[in-house]
Amino acid sequence: MDFIIDAAVKAIKHLYQIDVAPAAIGLQETRKEFDGQITIVTFPFTKFSRKGPEQTGTEIGEYLLSELKEVAAFNVVKGFLNISLNDEYWIGQLYNEILPDSFAVAKPNGQKVMVEYSSPNTNKPLHLGHVRNNLLGFSVAQILAAAGYEVIKTNLVNDRGIHICKSMLAWQKFGNGETPESTGMKGDHLVGKYYVLFEKELRVQLAPILDRIYEKNDLSLFKEGQKVKIEALLNSIDKLKVKKQTTPEANTKAIDELNDKIGADQDKIKEIAKGATQLMIETQQMLQQWEAGDAVVMDLWRTMNGWVYAGFAETYKQMGVDFDKYYYESNTYLLGKDIIEEGLEKGVFFKKEDGSVWIDLTADGLDEKLVLRSDGTSVYITQDMGTAQLKYNDYHMDKSIYVVGNEQDYHFKVLFLILNKLGKAGADGLFHLSYGMVDLPSGKMKSREGTVVDADDLMAEMETTAKEQTEAMGKVDGFSEEYKLQLYHTIGMGALKYFLLKVDPKKRLLFDPNESVDFQGHTGPFIQYTHARIKSVLSRADYNAGIKTDIAALDGVERDLIVLLTQFPTVIQDAANGYSPAIVANYVYELAKTYNKFYHEKSILQAEDETLKQFRLQLSASSAKVISQGMALLGIDVPERM
């Protein structure tokens, strides 16, 4: 639409003798209740015209109508100039822009971007939260690539630490040599089973210790510093209970707040008490052995992580996501220590009397942040600083996107601020793509572990739901069993992906498996079915893709469809700029709705003449192409038959 912007700049110069920059001309889509396709907001120009917004819009509209052969008419509503372009222009858009293979294929923009997503722990299978993370990260990477970026998809695997040792120790104690082969379980599920067993046994060992604390006031199991902390917490609980007893029963809010504080103090005592269990003592010893490179522990670690990686690979394949580069915490967790020394030399960090290293961010509206413990061991942010430097050294990317849940908002705010203060290359290109949690309707789906919904279970449930609803509609008569199985997977995964991606990433969402497979709703299967419908029409026609028809005029729904199709390249750029697959998802839904309106209102195969038939087939083929490309950006396949 640059030609309209240029003409509007000339109109203002001609009418009001003022030079304005092209960026001052804001174009937007005309609202559906008004005639036109392109709208110019005229309020900013009233200071030049010294007239009301309606008169200013009328004057600019008359200039555009006289100067541009593409403008057929205009109307002004308050401060909005709505422009109607003629059918010749829109027909030209179909043949010159949309139908060619080059449509919506952006030229390389010379920028490199890394998208980091998934970031699983190797002590349990992927769960529902990982599903949104993986689908979001993969889709953002696809969209950025379509917008002209060179994209590197990375996965930072959390493969070390106390949580990994919990699964390892439980397997040693209770596993009896079980392997994925001997049990028939996926490796990640087998390791996850022992993580659950560890927590179960930990609760058994924890109960008598808590009883000694609360019933006998016996703190002999704890070191002096731990005793002081527990005693302080017990005193706090006693005071809170007294306060609760004197609070009027009618003040339920105050009572609830006191109960929450009591519960928080009890949780703190529980965390300290866990360290006194035999199980946690042995786990800490195993972690120390791992860090010391003990051969037996390292061998077990490699074996069990190998099981998990094989399981993850199956899940990723089923999910339809992949990665260009893996980073492993076991290789990166010490990397930040050199940066700590650099920061101390630059005065960015400071050292306290106990030897711990901190950064003071109070001037930035935050607080003091620990970056290295007094014993010289790293904390998470130490590792993340080092990993950020490593990734930049490997790829020298212009942008680096971290796809991580919103519970880590503060962590990334601090990380990016520190890297900027250190003057690290690439620090100004860091972005945290923060997303909300996913909830399920109660009782819809139960997880294997009873606490979180397993990703494999979720995907299997989606295929079952797709199968039930598709067969109930009688949509698979005549299909081979092999094609049916492929179709159920395509529909089930399309439903899952579309439902999770159509919502703005920042928002928390409620995922309903049955609603997501509704063939008539705002869903992936509705869009997939529209694509299959178009392919069915094209397969029954003698379609000449490359022949330009001699059609002179458009019907309203035909024009609406072309207008919507022309927006696809801009939609991709907007989604890339906002790191939001939701922009693409909702655009493709609008396109599918508009095509279905066209399909029901206009005869295609039985059109009045061959010219009109070929034109409508070309319009159908263009719609199928854009639907397919748009869904691919979401990681969703569209079937040829359905």
Side-chain angles (χ1 to χ4, degrees):
M1 295 293 169
D2 286 345
F3 73 97
I4 294 179
I5 292 175
D6 291 341
V9 168
K10 291 176 183 177
I12 293 168
K13 174 69 171 177
H14 173 77
L15 292 167
Y16 312 122
Q17 292 74 53
I18 294 292
D19 291 312
V20 297
I25 311 296
L27 299 187
Q28 58 190 45
E29 184 182 356
T30 302
R31 290 168 57 176
K32 288 181 171 59
E33 61 264 35
F34 302 122
D35 290 335
Q37 298 92 40
I38 308 298
T39 294
I40 297 176
V41 180
T42 63
F43 292 106
F45 312 131
T46 56
K47 60 184 177 183
F48 310 134
S49 67
R50 301 185 184 281
K51 299 171 184 175
E54 290 194 19
Q55 187 177 352
T56 303
T58 300
E59 290 177 349
I60 296 173
E62 288 173 346
Y63 180 92
L64 297 178
L65 184 62
S66 66
E67 294 295 320
L68 292 179
K69 61 180 175 45
E70 296 90 350
V71 175
F74 73 89
N75 65 86
V76 181
V77 180
K78 296 183 179 178
F80 299 93
L81 167 60
N82 304 317
I83 301 165
S84 296
L85 301 178
N86 58 36
D87 288 347
E88 181 183 356
Y89 171 81
W90 293 115
I91 293 167
Q93 286 292 299
L94 175 65
Y95 287 107
N96 300 328
E97 300 291 335
I98 300 167
L99 276 169
D101 293 338
S102 59
F103 180 62
V105 178
K107 295 178 181 178
N109 62 19
Q111 293 195 61
K112 190 183 295 185
V113 59
M114 178 179 286
V115 183
E116 180 191 295
Y117 56 99
S118 196
S119 303
N121 296 326
T122 58
N123 62 321
K124 54 189 175 183
L126 302 177
H127 55 68
L128 177 59
H130 288 114
V131 174
R132 189 177 198 189
N133 181 298
N134 279 278
L135 299 183
L136 181 57
F138 181 79
S139 180
V140 166
Q142 296 289 95
I143 290 167
L144 288 168
Y149 291 89
E150 179 186 347
V151 179
I152 308 106
K153 296 174 285 187
T154 61
N155 186 349
L156 175 60
V157 182
N158 302 303
D159 65 338
R160 63 164 291 279
I162 197 74
H163 51 293
I164 310 297
C165 291
K166 289 178 180 180
S167 295
M168 292 164 58
L169 184 66
W171 185 86
Q172 277 186 335
K173 287 181 171 295
F174 315 121
N176 297 315
E178 280 191 344
T179 66
E181 291 74 24
S182 69
T183 60
M185 292 178 70
K186 279 179 80 233
D188 51 337
H189 292 158
L190 181 62
V191 173
K193 166 186 169 183
Y194 286 100
Y195 185 71
V196 173
L197 281 175
F198 178 94
E199 294 296 332
K200 184 177 180 181
E201 178 62 23
L202 182 64
R203 287 193 293 271
V204 171
Q205 293 188 14
L206 183 61
I209 295 175
L210 292 175
D211 182 64
R212 288 173 68 169
I213 293 172
Y214 288 113
E215 300 300 325
K216 302 173 184 177
N217 199 26
D218 180 1
L219 305 182
S220 59
L221 292 173
F222 303 100
K223 297 176 182 177
E224 197 58 40
Q226 293 172 325
K227 287 181 183 178
V228 172
K229 288 181 182 178
I230 294 174
E231 286 171 348
L233 288 166
L234 289 171
N235 287 334
S236 172
I237 290 170
D238 287 341
K239 289 177 182 177
L240 290 167
K241 285 181 177 178
V242 170
K243 193 171 182 180
K244 180 183 169 185
Q245 289 169 357
T246 59
T247 300
E249 291 184 9
N251 197 341
T252 55
K253 183 179 179 182
I255 292 172
D256 288 342
E257 288 177 353
L258 288 167
N259 283 332
D260 289 343
K261 290 176 182 177
I262 291 169
D265 284 346
Q266 289 172 336
D267 287 342
K268 290 174 185 175
I269 290 174
K270 188 182 293 185
E271 286 304 310
I272 298 172
K274 283 180 182 179
T277 62
Q278 185 61 30
L279 208 56
M280 280 306 298
I281 291 170
E282 292 181 43
T283 306
Q284 290 286 355
Q285 290 171 346
M286 178 176 277
L287 179 60
Q288 291 166 3
Q289 290 169 333
W290 183 92
E291 293 190 356
D294 180 88
V296 174
V297 172
M298 294 298 289
D299 185 58
L300 176 61
W301 173 73
R302 281 188 284 265
T303 297
M304 293 184 70
N305 272 354
W307 296 345
V308 173
Y309 296 145
F312 283 174
E314 288 183 42
T315 304
Y316 288 141
K317 183 178 180 181
Q318 188 82 344
M319 203 180 290
V321 302
D322 58 15
F323 308 92
D324 302 310
K325 173 77 173 179
Y326 283 84
Y327 290 96
Y328 298 90
E329 188 178 331
S330 56
N331 295 330
T332 65
Y333 80 106
L334 297 176
L335 290 178
K337 291 191 175 181
D338 289 341
I339 296 176
I340 298 297
E341 291 301 318
E342 177 189 337
L344 285 169
E345 291 175 9
K346 290 182 175 180
V348 174
F349 303 137
F350 68 93
K351 191 174 286 190
K352 291 192 175 181
E353 290 181 2
D354 63 357
S356 59
V357 181
W358 298 71
I359 184 170
D360 185 357
L361 299 174
T362 52
D364 300 285
L366 303 177
D367 53 13
E368 290 187 352
K369 175 69 179 176
L370 175 72
V371 296
L372 196 70
R373 295 189 184 96
S374 58
D375 60 4
T377 57
S378 59
V379 291
Y380 275 118
I381 206 145
T382 326
Q383 169 196 303
D384 286 348
M385 286 188 285
T387 305
Q389 181 70 63
L390 175 64
K391 292 194 296 186
Y392 186 80
N393 291 345
D394 286 347
Y395 291 100
H396 291 89
M397 57 279 190
D398 300 281
K399 298 181 180 182
S400 186
I401 315 302
Y402 294 77
V403 183
V404 183
N406 56 18
E407 72 276 8
Q408 294 295 327
D409 284 353
Y410 178 78
H411 174 82
F412 283 101
K413 185 181 291 186
V414 171
L415 174 64
F416 298 166
L417 192 55
I418 290 174
L419 292 171
N420 270 288
K421 287 180 180 293
L422 289 167
K424 289 296 179 182
D428 56 349
L430 302 175
F431 182 79
H432 174 207
L433 180 49
S434 173
Y435 63 88
M437 296 297 100
V438 184
D439 299 310
L440 284 167
S442 177
K444 284 288 183 183
M445 219 175 288
K446 293 182 178 178
S447 72
R448 179 179 293 107
E449 298 175 11
T451 53
V452 294
V453 175
D454 180 274
D456 293 317
D457 290 347
L458 176 62
M459 291 189 289
E461 179 75 13
M462 289 307 302
E463 288 193 28
T464 300
T465 304
K467 177 177 184 291
E468 292 170 351
Q469 297 210 21
T470 306
E471 290 182 346
M473 296 175 68
K475 299 288 185 184
V476 291
D477 297 341
F479 290 174
S480 68
E481 287 303 315
E482 182 181 1
Y483 186 77
K484 285 180 185 178
L485 291 176
Q486 179 187 340
L487 184 62
Y488 299 145
H489 175 72
T490 299
I491 296 172
M493 289 307 298
L496 173 64
K497 292 180 179 184
Y498 188 84
F499 203 98
L500 295 183
L501 292 173
K502 73 179 181 180
V503 177
D504 184 281
K506 294 186 288 295
K507 294 183 179 178
R508 189 167 188 144
L509 63 87
L510 181 70
F511 175 67
D512 187 330
N514 288 316
E515 182 184 338
S516 73
V517 190
D518 183 355
F519 283 81
Q520 301 301 319
H522 183 185
T523 65
F526 167 74
I527 299 168
Q528 290 173 318
Y529 186 68
T530 301
H531 180 268
R533 165 176 276 169
I534 299 172
K535 287 295 185 178
S536 175
V537 170
L538 295 173
S539 69
R540 290 182 281 124
D542 180 19
Y543 168 50
N544 296 313
I547 297 177
K548 185 173 182 179
T549 61
D550 187 22
I551 186 170
L554 297 172
D555 188 86
V557 69
E558 294 168 335
R559 188 183 305 107
D560 290 345
L561 197 49
I562 295 175
V563 171
L564 202 51
L565 288 167
T566 63
Q567 295 171 4
F568 187 44
T570 303
V571 166
I572 294 173
Q573 291 295 332
D574 288 346
N577 293 338
Y579 308 120
S580 178
I583 293 173
V584 173
N586 288 285
Y587 165 79
V588 178
Y589 173 65
E590 288 300 320
L591 178 59
K593 278 203 309 180
T594 304
Y595 180 83
N596 279 292
K597 185 172 185 286
F598 162 74
Y599 175 85
H600 288 296
E601 290 184 7
K602 299 297 170 187
S603 176
I604 301 173
L605 298 181
Q606 303 301 321
E608 299 94 283
D609 57 55
E610 185 64 19
T611 297
L612 189 57
K613 173 185 172 183
Q614 288 301 323
F615 169 75
R616 288 176 178 170
L617 287 170
Q618 290 165 340
L619 195 49
S620 296
S622 298
S623 300
K625 178 177 75 169
V626 172
I627 287 172
S628 176
Q629 291 176 348
M631 293 292 266
L633 296 179
L634 305 176
I636 299 174
D637 294 325
V638 285
E640 299 285 308
R641 297 182 300 151
M642 191 168 162

